[in-house]
Amino acid sequence: EEIVAHSSNVSSVVLGKGSGRMLATGGDDCRVNIWSVSKPNCIMSLTGHTTPIESLQVNPNEKLIVAGSRSGSIRVWDLEAAKVLRTLPGHKANICSLHFHPFGSFVASGSLDTNIKLWDVRRKGCIFTFKGHTEAVRCLRFSPDGKWVASAADDHTVKLWDLTAGKLMFEFTGHTGPVNVVEFHPNEYLLASGSSDRTVRFWDLEKFQVVSCIEEEATPVRCVLFNPDGCCLYSGFQDSLRVYGWEPERCFDVVLVNWGKVADLSISNNQLIGVSFAQSTVSSFVVDLSRVPKSDSVPHGLIRDDQPLVPPTPTGSSLRRIYDRPSTSCSKPQSRVKHNSESERHSPSSEDDRDEKESKAEIQNQEDYKEIFQPKNAICRTPPRNEPFPAPPEDEPGTAKEAVKPSQAADVQTALPKQELVCTVICESLFLLPLPPIASSTSLTRTEPSVIPAARNEPIGLKASDFLPAVKNQSQTELVDEEAMSQIRKGHETMCVVLTSRHKNLDAVRAVWSISDIKARHNSLDSAVAINDLSVVVDLLNIVNQKPSLWKLDLCTIVLPQIEKLLQSKYESYVQTGCTSLKLILQRFLPLITDILAAPPSVGVDISREERLHKCKLCYKQLKNISNVVKNKSGLSGRHGSAFRELLLLMAVLD
């Protein structure tokens, strides 16, 4: 996908590493623009810098963004509040690199002035300045435990700095050209660096020596990224992606990608996303990692997918320590902080206030901005391995709470232990089945309510008088327990058959679900629909609704026809479940569906895009059908009418 990102040349791009879907671009027009990788329209434009943007970085939770300019000034923006948070002056030349601390509110900056500065965003000041490089600092990375920072520079060196001691730990030499990028292994004491000398080097952070060096490339190394489980390293080159192992050094795969000079990489949903820029355009590319081999055998000293993360035993040279991730951020000796901060800290002044007043956040797309930042929705992710059938309500508590609010049954589920969750969901809806006809002692006709409430004190469609002997004089009636029980037992066997069949259906669906595969979730819904029993579909949706991350576009195409039936059901709990599912789909997928349908046709053949377009067309057609049902029911009174009116507002874009 290609977008025109700025009115002038693009000078910097970065991907959010939390979701992999957030893109920030900086240009010679002195603006920072925020995008969603899957959408062609700018979400927000940040102004305030007076010189071109040279470097960008997004914090881990994607709520803050920091931008450094050619003049050496740094601005930190709060994306949720849509305003500038801090202006950090101090560098004397271009800002070449930035990075957020993994835990605390700290930012590291590297400059053409050869200095590295550590900033406290909360206190609006420089905590420490690291000096040692002799040329521009091109890349900075904090270690996963937040105790170190690694720097790469044009002076051909990689330096490792101790934040607690405030000094240089080690200088790695060996590259023969400017070092463009460094990256810490997510678990082990290992550092990777890529250089313009066309080599990738791996450094042991315990022994402070080179582990291996890969020298076969023909173009400079532009960016590197470890796989989240640490099994391999992805390296971005001119028009190619290479997958490396380091003990021994080897290349697992080469993927040709026409991305030119790739600028940044990120991983989301087992897909690698790469971005590059040329003049005023930014292009994004996706590589399916499920088709990319990550090893030719199980390498020594690496963490395997199917094994728990445990510290390796130090028996071989290839086994390294893993990081301890403290719950608090690193702290510095008070005397050192005081000594440096007094000379570096910039006290607030009228000039700073004027700068911050001149900085603005122009929201270009209000709908996308609210969807992403107010509140910030979770991006769809692949569920973790070996996940049990009932999605635990603790996962994504904020979203789950909102999703299950209309349902009284769900309120009970959240307070129950995990092992009772499925039983509660099943039992709640078991007794919503229309009961079989039972022999009655009276021929009086009964009128059943149009909507059967979910909360009640007696079975629907039954009256106690139906099970008692008919008498002419009520005053002479003496109730006999045996006679009453004999009448009640008449329908017992029939009801047992209904419940046994229901139980078998749920077992069949659960057996498919239990397979540790994302496709199994779709197959389980397929099987639930094939059973042609709405009560089974309701049970399954009550679970899926509590974990919105399970929702995918494929799931929507399966569920939407069933939701149309649920919304027209006479059972209140069925309607509640249908409304909850439809609301989740509208909030998470309707903007995506409308954007894809409105996008111009692509040039050439893109099979995945065509499949996605087909699914979006199918969902759009189904939503149009459902909108008619919602319109008809929006005039109802009570909470049902309120729920349908809320859905009608969400579906307004369909008209």
Side-chain angles (χ1 to χ4, degrees), residues 37-76:
V37 171
S38 59
K39 297 182 179 181
N41 299 320
C42 178
I43 299 171
M44 192 190 314
S45 185
L46 311 176
T47 62
H49 278 293
T50 56
T51 55
I53 309 300
E54 292 289 310
S55 183
L56 292 167
Q57 193 64 232
V58 181
N59 78 328
N61 62 16
E62 298 183 354
K63 293 182 179 180
L64 302 178
I65 185 171
V66 59
S69 72
R70 190 170 295 173
S71 66
S73 69
I74 299 171
R75 276 179 168 81
V76 183

Side-chain angles (χ1 to χ4, degrees), residues 190-207:
L190 184 75
L191 183 72
S193 60
S195 169
S196 295
D197 64 7
R198 305 189 298 279
T199 67
V200 176
R201 291 178 180 266
F202 297 91
W203 311 94
D204 189 309
L205 299 182
E206 279 189 288
K207 300 176 181 178

